[in-house]
Amino acid sequence: MINTDRSTLYRLDMLNQQQIKNNYQMSTLKKIDKGSDDTKVYTQELYLNDKLNVYEGLKSQIEKTNAQNDVSDSTLAEIKNLLDFIKSETVKGRNDTNDSVSREAIATQIEGAKNNLFTLVNERVEDEYIFAGSQTNVQAFVKDENGKITYNGNPNLRQSAVEVDSYRDRGVTGFDIMSYDVTKSVSGQELTFKEGERIIDENGREWKLNAAGSVLVEYDEDGKLTKNFIEVTTTGESPDKVHTITELPTNEDGSEKTFTVKHNSFQAIDDVITALRNNDGDGISVALEDLNSAFGAANNAHGVLGGRNDTFETAYERVTSKLTHFNVLTTENSMANATEVAMESKQLELIYKTLYSTISKTNSLSLVNFL
């Protein structure tokens, strides 16, 4: 018998490999099973998968940020409502027709609103204090044994990704919502501030009095003490101390430096309560002016927050659009054409029949038939 030609076996083996590939494509609708099947398709697949992973991560981060921003927005709206209520009650208390009993009742209502404010400014989302600045693991505002409330966070904001290697500030700090600017001074000028007021420079760094009250010391963005300090002179006795810096310094490069004095809005509320309980009409009027400033600061912070929230909402739409785009490209790159696969399968079937028929006829030949 004539031996089957080696080239026929080779062709049969190639057909088997093509059939395996065709069966895989028909069952999975994918072009390739492994990288060696088509290096061009495989390389593109790796690139697109990397892009998908990156933008899925970005989308997840932005979704979390938007959730926090929504809570910040609604909470700040409630804070403004309470501040507006306190202002309205203070206006009632300023009326000369009120006696000490009426003003005491108003003071009690304002004190209740203050306690509600304390709860709101310490709002948390996923165990993060949303108004604590970049130190989201520490309570934003704290209350001492005398009921005095102070900001415990820092003046810096956390940043969240909006694109690859692109970040934006998120939210607002407790300084933004519950303190207002009293005065600003620049290098070479004098700066005066009262006890309890906070000092922030143009770089967002806070300057705090040391224990002795003799110098103002700079703290960095992480809340760590630096070597920079400014000498301070103090007059008066607590709680009416006044601190003065004769001449503000410049930056290390000689450029002008700006210092902002911020007054605690909770202190303004305490001043209103004290004036009402002391039946002090003039004190109520002064405190009302401070409350107007406090409400203005919260309102401004709400506007800034809205602008930052819009940035992340726009970023979310852009990232979602890119994810859709890369998903389409992935489908086009990796998915097999069902019609082409079906046609190729039919062609393989015909080729198999022809080849096996040839092999069968070849194997049936004998020497006698040949002769």
Side-chain angles (χ1 to χ4, degrees):
M1 179 180 290
I2 300 172
N3 290 330
T4 303
D5 189 74
R6 289 184 179 181
S7 64
T8 302
L9 291 175
Y10 174 75
R11 292 191 183 95
L12 182 60
D13 183 58
M14 293 296 292
L15 280 174
N16 288 335
Q17 291 182 32
Q18 188 63 31
Q19 181 65 28
I20 291 172
K21 177 181 178 182
N22 188 260
N23 289 339
Y24 175 79
Q25 290 178 338
M26 289 188 68
S27 61
T28 65
L29 288 180
K30 291 183 178 181
K31 286 182 181 179
I32 61 174
D33 180 21
K34 50 187 180 292
S36 59
D37 292 344
D38 190 322
T39 55
K40 183 179 178 180
V41 172
Y42 184 65
T43 301
Q44 187 71 1
E45 188 177 289
L46 289 177
Y47 169 79
L48 291 172
N49 284 338
D50 179 64
K51 288 294 183 182
L52 285 171
N53 289 333
V54 168
Y55 282 99
E56 284 287 359
L58 277 172
K59 182 181 178 183
S60 178
Q61 288 184 48
I62 295 173
E63 285 175 340
K64 178 181 177 181
T65 300
N66 282 340
Q68 292 179 327
N69 288 344
D70 289 342
V71 174
S72 296
D73 183 70
S74 59
T75 302
L76 190 45
E78 288 297 317
I79 289 171
K80 285 167 56 182
N81 288 338
L82 282 173
L83 286 172
D84 193 46
F85 168 77
I86 292 172
K87 282 173 54 185
S88 299
E89 292 300 303
T90 303
V91 170
K92 292 178 184 177
R94 187 178 57 174
N95 193 319
D96 291 337
T97 58
N98 285 294
D99 56 17
S100 58
V101 175
S102 298
R103 285 176 170 169
E104 174 64 33
I106 293 172
T108 300
Q109 286 186 306
I110 291 176
E111 192 165 42
K114 172 191 166 185
N115 291 330
N116 291 337
L117 273 174
F118 180 66
T119 300
L120 288 172
V121 295
N122 282 315
E123 184 65 66
R124 289 188 296 176
V125 176
E126 296 182 351
D127 291 329
E128 290 188 359
Y129 290 93
I130 59 177
F131 297 129
S134 62
Q135 296 176 324
T136 55
N137 60 325
V138 301
Q139 185 172 323
F141 288 81
V142 293
K143 185 190 294 186
D144 65 16
E145 64 277 4
N146 298 317
K148 183 178 180 180
I149 299 172
T150 54
Y151 181 53
N152 191 43
N154 63 23
N156 311 113
L157 289 170
R158 276 199 171 188
Q159 292 190 325
S160 293
V162 294
E163 215 358 307
V164 178
D165 296 327
S166 182
Y167 301 84
R168 296 291 184 275
D169 288 338
R170 74 177 194 194
V172 287
T173 71
F175 271 130
D176 298 323
I177 63 174
M178 291 304 293
S179 66
Y180 55 91
D181 296 351
V182 176
T183 185
K184 286 187 178 181
S185 294
V186 298
S187 302
Q189 295 181 348
E190 181 182 88
L191 180 69
T192 300
F193 58 99
K194 298 178 182 178
E195 185 174 10
E197 292 179 334
R198 312 277 283 268
I199 315 297
I200 308 294
D201 67 18
E202 80 283 2
N203 297 316
R205 293 189 170 190
E206 185 172 7
W207 294 69
K208 302 178 183 179
L209 282 169
N210 65 348
S214 57
V215 294
L216 202 63
V217 185
E218 181 190 37
Y219 287 74
D220 65 17
E221 290 81 359
D222 297 322
K224 296 179 180 178
L225 192 70
T226 70
K227 296 179 180 179
N228 299 325
F229 65 91
I230 308 169
E231 292 185 358
V232 176
T233 57
T234 302
T235 57
E237 296 296 329
S238 183
D240 299 317
K241 288 182 179 178
V242 176
H243 310 284
T244 303
I245 300 171
T246 305
E247 185 177 341
L248 291 172
T250 61
N251 286 303
E252 292 181 1
D253 61 1
S255 59
E256 188 174 77
K257 197 169 186 64
T258 303
F259 290 80
T260 302
V261 178
K262 288 184 171 290
H263 192 81
N264 184 0
S265 297
F266 280 107
Q267 183 60 54
I269 297 172
D270 288 339
D271 291 342
V272 168
I273 294 171
T274 300
L276 285 166
R277 286 180 170 158
N278 290 337
N279 202 21
D280 181 1
D282 291 337
I284 296 172
S285 296
V286 172
L288 180 59
E289 292 180 7
D290 291 340
L291 284 177
N292 287 329
S293 297
F295 181 84
N299 198 40
N300 289 337
H302 204 182
V304 171
L305 177 64
R308 288 174 180 153
N309 290 357
D310 286 343
T311 298
F312 286 99
E313 288 171 3
T314 302
Y316 181 79
E317 293 175 1
R318 185 170 59 250
V319 167
T320 302
S321 176
K322 287 190 176 183
L323 271 173
T324 302
H325 172 69
F326 284 121
N327 275 315
V328 170
L329 289 179
T330 298
T331 300
E332 292 176 350
N333 179 70
S334 63
M335 298 300 285
N337 187 308
T339 303
E340 291 180 359
V341 171
M343 291 176 64
E344 187 175 349
S345 179
K346 191 63 178 178
Q347 289 173 354
L348 283 170
E349 182 183 346
L350 294 173
I351 294 171
Y352 263 116
K353 285 182 180 180
T354 302
L355 185 58
Y356 275 115
S357 176
T358 302
I359 293 172
S360 177
K361 289 179 180 179
T362 302
N363 288 338
S364 67
L365 290 176
S366 65
L367 182 59
V368 173
N369 292 333
F370 178 73
L371 291 174

